[in-house]
């Protein structure tokens, strides 16, 4: 096809169909991840006699397994390819999500009780046995979920690198990454209601069917992915004009990689400062998002007394994640900076990320203003969440900008591992801290008990992004393409 025809032909937009599939996969990913956080306090904990420490252990182990699996998931996706790698990932995590529903039955069989009522009415040493036994079963299910979910972002970023030029990657990433927010947005108004409904018709204790219904969504996505995805150069729905747009970076030798470049091994990736920049950027900030994701429903319940299935709690969490949807515009900001200043993608992203790093500082005021109204911490956490998702979209694109496409999923996997380790630490420590704060009625800057514990974590979350930005900038002061 001639160049004239390629440039004059109306461009197809199939890349946005692919982006929408990534969006829906990420939405399902976060729905599956949220079921436990929205059911444990009011449905699961009374049945299994859990404390905050029990929940903290479960979420922490999920996080560390997710972290370790990320290291290999990225390599697995690079080896298997985007289509098959994504299918395997979502199949595993959907099975893992459904397996949670069996934890109650397995606990009953193990401790010799007949039904939910017997578990609820247990007392004495038996409650400790029930708690420990159930925690082991939930950990097993969370491990399967974590292994599968670790493949989502490496696969999605790899597909984005295949279907979008560098200047559009942060925006497209922010769109599919908004699936995390939409999943978190839908979850509080659907999951507790599902659990309450099935509990009212006496299908277990209700929470079991919530895991099954949400887990089944992944299998629907798999059927669609089989028919929708092909590489752009092999896809009949991508015309010549769109393919030329997608591959526009190929003409610039200084900002693109060639197809003939040798592949980087996993251990070779660690030789580059760019890898460590992504890793530190994720390590210092991902834990913040995971804390908000896993602990906000408990925070609203502990501090303000609203159970997860109450209309007020559902409205608060819905508004929180609705605010987080502002992150879509965060992905657009680097493109605006590039168009206005002509800066390279890395410089534009770092300028945008510095702006995003400032907003989480408002978390310092969440707890103090919460004494006036519970709406203040909800709005502030929503703003911090929007800043995080904007930050996240750009840090993903930093990796895809500077590394060969054959290594993109591996780099994102390394970053995901670092973020997962941070999530492990913050979830484990938060559970222990909150139980300790409640038991000792500790005080911190005017707050007492659990409120003091939450304020300590909010302070850590507030400053994490500025520290991460400084480290990233020190490691990679300017744009530097990796040449193998």
């Amino acid at each position: 096809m001639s160049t004239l025809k390629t440039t004059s032909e109306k461009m197809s937009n199939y890349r946005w169909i692919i982006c929408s599939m990534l969006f829906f996969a990420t939405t399902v990913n976060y729905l599956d991840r949220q079921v436990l956080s929205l059911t444990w306090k009011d449905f699961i904990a009374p049945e299994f006699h859990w404390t905050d420490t029990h929940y903290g252990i479960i979420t922490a182990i999920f996080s560390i397994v997710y972290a370790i699996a990320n290291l290999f998931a990225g390599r697995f996706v690079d080896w298997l390819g985007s289509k098959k790698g994504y299918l395997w990932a979502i199949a595993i995590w959907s099975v893992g999500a459904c397996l949670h529903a069996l934890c109650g039955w397995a606990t009953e069989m193990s401790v010799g009780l007949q039904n939910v009522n017997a578990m609820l009415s247990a007392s004495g040493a038996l409650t400790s046995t029930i708690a420990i036994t159930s925690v082991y079963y939930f950990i097993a299910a969370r491990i399967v979920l974590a292994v599968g979910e670790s493949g989502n972002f490496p696969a999605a970023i790899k597909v984005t690198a295949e279907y979008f030029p560098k200047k559009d990657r942060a925006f497209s990433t922010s769109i599919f990454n908004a699936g995390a927010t939409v999943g978190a947005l839908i979850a509080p108004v659907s999951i507790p209601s599902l659990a309450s409904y099935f509990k009212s018709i006496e299908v277990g204790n209700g929470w079991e069917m919530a895991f099954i219904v949400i887990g089944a969504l992944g299998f629907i996505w798999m059927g669609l992915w089989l028919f929708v995805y092909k590489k752009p150069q092999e896809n009949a729905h991508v015309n010549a004009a769109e393919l030329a747009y997608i591959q526009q970076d190929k003409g610039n030798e200084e900002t693109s990689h060639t197809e003939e470049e040798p592949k980087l091994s996993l251990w070779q990736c660690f030789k580059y400062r760019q890898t460590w920049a992504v890793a530190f950027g994720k390590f210092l900030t991902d834990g913040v998002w995971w804390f908000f994701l896993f602990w906000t429903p408990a925070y609203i319940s502990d501090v303000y007394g609203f159970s997860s299935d109450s209309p007020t709690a559902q409205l608060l969490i819905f508004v929180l994640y609705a605010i987080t949807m502002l992150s879509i515009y965060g992905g657009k900001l680097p493109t605006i900076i590039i168009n206005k200043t002509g800066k390279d993608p890395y410089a534009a992203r770092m300028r945008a990320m510095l702006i995003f790093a400032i907003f989480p500082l408002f978390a310092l005021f969440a707890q103090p203003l919460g004494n006036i109204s519970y709406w203040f911490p909800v709005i502030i956490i929503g703003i911090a969440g929007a800043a995080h998702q904007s930050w996240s979209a750009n840090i993903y694109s930093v990796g895809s900008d500077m590394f060969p496409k054959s290594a993109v999923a591996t780099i994102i996997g390394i970053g995901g591992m670092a973020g997962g380790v941070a999530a492990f630490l913050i979830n484990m420590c938060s559970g222990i801290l909150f139980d300790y704060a409640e038991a000792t009625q500790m005080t911190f800057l005017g707050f007492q008990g659990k409120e003091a514990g939450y304020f300590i974590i909010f302070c850590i979350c507030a400053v994490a992004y500025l520290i991460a930005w400084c480290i990233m900038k020190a490691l990679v002061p300017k744009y530097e393409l990796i040449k193998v």
Side-chain angles (χ1 to χ4, degrees):
M1 184 174 289
S2 68
T3 304
L4 179 62
K5 186 175 181 181
T6 300
T7 55
S8 63
E9 182 182 21
K10 184 178 179 180
M11 184 169 63
S12 57
N13 288 296
Y14 196 78
R15 64 194 183 281
W16 296 110
I17 301 294
I18 294 295
C19 188
S20 69
M21 287 296 295
L22 304 182
F23 169 85
F24 287 120
T26 305
T27 301
V28 173
N29 183 286
Y30 270 78
L31 279 170
D32 285 329
R33 197 177 297 187
Q34 279 279 82
V35 178
L36 182 61
S37 66
L38 287 164
T39 56
W40 85 271
K41 195 76 174 179
D42 302 305
F43 295 90
I44 297 175
E47 181 178 341
F48 299 118
H49 308 277
W50 287 358
T51 64
D52 284 349
T53 299
H54 290 129
Y55 176 67
I57 290 170
I58 292 170
T59 56
I61 290 178
F62 170 87
S63 303
I64 196 65
V65 173
Y66 180 86
I68 296 169
N70 255 281
L71 185 61
F72 300 100
R75 202 66 186 168
F76 179 77
V77 172
D78 277 334
W79 170 68
L80 203 57
S82 302
K83 186 171 188 173
K84 291 181 180 179
Y86 223 147
L87 284 171
W88 271 104
I90 201 163
I92 293 170
W93 95 54
S94 297
V95 169
C98 294
L99 282 176
H100 287 72
L102 299 177
C103 292
W105 171 81
T107 303
E108 290 172 12
M109 295 299 101
S110 297
V111 299
L113 297 176
Q114 298 301 313
N115 51 43
V116 173
N117 291 330
M119 301 265 277
L120 289 166
S121 61
S123 60
L126 181 58
T127 60
S128 178
T129 303
I130 291 171
I132 294 170
T133 303
S134 62
V135 164
Y136 282 132
Y137 285 122
F138 272 91
I139 286 172
R142 294 308 273 183
I143 286 173
V144 178
L145 181 70
V147 169
E149 289 202 342
S150 67
N152 181 69
F153 283 100
I157 297 299
K158 185 176 180 68
V159 173
T160 301
E162 292 172 349
Y163 265 89
F164 289 88
K166 289 181 179 180
K167 69 186 185 72
D168 290 344
R169 286 178 192 168
F171 182 49
S172 57
T173 300
S174 72
I175 290 176
F176 85 70
N177 198 38
T181 302
V182 171
L185 192 66
I186 297 171
V189 297
S190 60
I191 291 169
S193 298
L194 276 173
S196 293
Y197 169 73
F198 285 109
K199 183 177 182 179
S200 69
I201 61 174
E202 298 183 348
V203 178
N205 202 22
W207 59 267
E208 299 94 337
M209 285 303 298
F211 278 105
I212 292 173
V213 171
I214 301 301
L217 296 175
F219 298 110
I220 297 173
W221 185 93
M222 289 174 63
L224 294 173
W225 187 246
L226 281 169
F227 295 100
V228 168
Y229 176 83
K230 286 183 180 179
K231 289 185 178 181
Q233 61 270 27
E234 300 171 2
N235 199 321
H237 298 287
V238 177
N239 65 11
E242 184 177 16
L243 185 61
Y245 182 82
I246 291 169
Q247 297 178 342
Q248 63 182 266
D249 296 316
K250 280 190 173 182
N252 190 336
E253 292 183 359
E254 296 197 0
T255 60
S256 65
H257 294 93
T258 64
E259 298 294 334
E260 292 76 24
E261 282 185 302
K263 292 185 177 181
L264 288 169
S265 71
L266 175 63
W267 305 116
Q268 281 179 314
C269 292
F270 286 102
K271 296 192 303 182
Y272 298 100
R273 287 178 288 108
Q274 290 88 336
T275 302
W276 290 101
V278 172
F280 275 110
K282 296 286 286 178
F283 175 78
L284 289 169
T285 60
D286 269 19
V288 176
W289 173 253
W290 286 52
F291 171 75
F292 290 149
L293 190 71
F294 287 149
W295 286 98
T296 296
Y299 169 73
I300 291 171
S301 177
D302 288 337
V303 178
Y304 301 107
F306 300 120
S307 63
S308 60
D309 60 342
S310 68
T312 302
Q314 292 178 355
L315 177 62
L316 289 171
I317 298 175
F318 182 87
V319 170
L320 187 157
Y321 287 112
I323 295 170
T324 307
M325 286 292 292
L326 293 170
S327 62
I328 291 176
Y329 296 100
K332 191 69 174 176
L333 183 57
T335 302
I336 295 171
I337 294 172
I338 290 170
N339 292 338
K340 286 190 174 183
T341 66
K343 289 182 177 292
D344 62 74
Y346 179 73
R349 295 197 208 294
M350 290 302 290
R351 177 177 289 188
M353 288 169 71
L354 178 59
I355 295 171
F356 304 143
I358 293 171
F359 285 99
L361 292 173
F362 288 110
L364 292 170
F365 305 102
Q367 194 77 348
L369 291 175
N371 290 328
I372 301 172
S373 170
Y374 48 71
W375 281 107
F376 282 110
V378 165
I379 292 170
I380 289 171
I381 292 171
I383 292 171
H388 171 83
Q389 292 296 68
S390 298
W391 169 281
S392 184
N394 281 279
I395 199 170
Y396 282 136
S397 298
V398 165
S400 64
D401 285 346
M402 293 190 285
F403 283 87
K405 289 181 181 178
S406 62
V408 166
T410 301
I411 298 303
I412 300 306
I414 292 170
M417 179 195 68
V421 170
F424 166 80
L425 294 173
I426 199 167
N427 281 308
M428 176 72 83
C429 294
S430 293
I432 295 170
L433 173 63
F434 298 154
D435 278 341
Y436 174 80
E438 184 178 38
T440 62
Q441 288 299 296
M442 66 174 283
T443 58
F444 180 74
L445 295 180
F447 294 97
Q448 187 173 6
K450 274 194 180 181
E451 290 190 40
Y454 279 110
F455 188 46
I456 291 171
I457 302 298
F458 284 152
C459 291
I460 295 170
C461 294
V463 300
Y465 295 84
L466 279 176
I467 296 172
W469 188 91
C470 291
I471 292 174
M472 289 183 67
K473 190 66 174 175
L475 285 169
V476 186
K478 61 181 181 178
Y479 181 78
E480 190 176 341
L481 194 70
I482 299 298
K483 290 292 185 181
V484 183

